[in-house]
Amino acid sequence: MASAKVALAYDVWQDIRRHLFTYALMLVVVASAFSVIYFTHLNRQTTSSLESLLTERDELDIEWRNLLLEQNSLAEHSTIETKAAKLLNMKRPSAESEVIIKLP
């Protein structure tokens, strides 16, 4: 009985040695498949991150354009003059109230 077990173990070892290249090749194929899965996952995560960053960039660009438009509209002379008249009760001086100073 013991010699049958030893013979069986020896036969299994011989079979493993005979097909060692096949087992190694199968292990390489499985490792390659898992690496393809992993890098595909990384690619999808990176693409998703890129899309969200591009969306954020577009939103910031739109906000920047709106701020430029607001700045330009607030810097117009008519807007400044209207706000000065309404908020500060300012008005244009008349020709009679102007004083011209001449330097020697």
Side-chain angles (χ1 to χ4, degrees):
M1 179 83 137
S3 75
K5 287 184 180 180
V6 171
L8 180 63
Y10 181 73
D11 287 341
V12 169
W13 176 249
Q14 290 299 324
D15 189 48
I16 290 173
R17 281 185 53 208
R18 189 173 353 154
H19 300 292
L20 186 62
F21 181 72
T22 306
Y23 294 142
L25 196 59
M26 197 166 48
L27 183 65
V28 168
V29 167
V30 170
S32 173
F34 278 117
S35 67
V36 166
I37 292 169
Y38 176 71
F39 285 112
T40 302
H41 177 69
L42 282 181
N43 187 21
R44 287 180 180 162
Q45 279 184 334
T46 306
T47 303
S48 174
S49 175
L50 176 66
E51 288 297 324
S52 66
L53 288 174
L54 288 174
T55 303
E56 183 180 354
R57 183 195 66 178
D58 291 341
E59 289 172 359
L60 289 173
D61 189 41
I62 290 169
E63 183 179 355
W64 171 252
R65 289 179 185 176
N66 289 337
L67 288 173
L68 283 177
L69 288 173
E70 183 179 357
Q71 179 185 15
N72 288 336
S73 70
L74 290 175
E76 288 183 12
H77 294 292
S78 61
T79 307
I80 295 172
E81 190 173 339
T82 305
K83 285 192 177 193
K86 286 183 181 177
L87 298 176
L88 302 174
N89 295 326
M90 297 177 80
K91 58 183 177 179
R92 284 195 167 269
S94 63
E96 294 82 28
S97 64
E98 289 183 11
V99 177
I100 300 175
I101 300 174
K102 294 183 182 181
L103 296 174

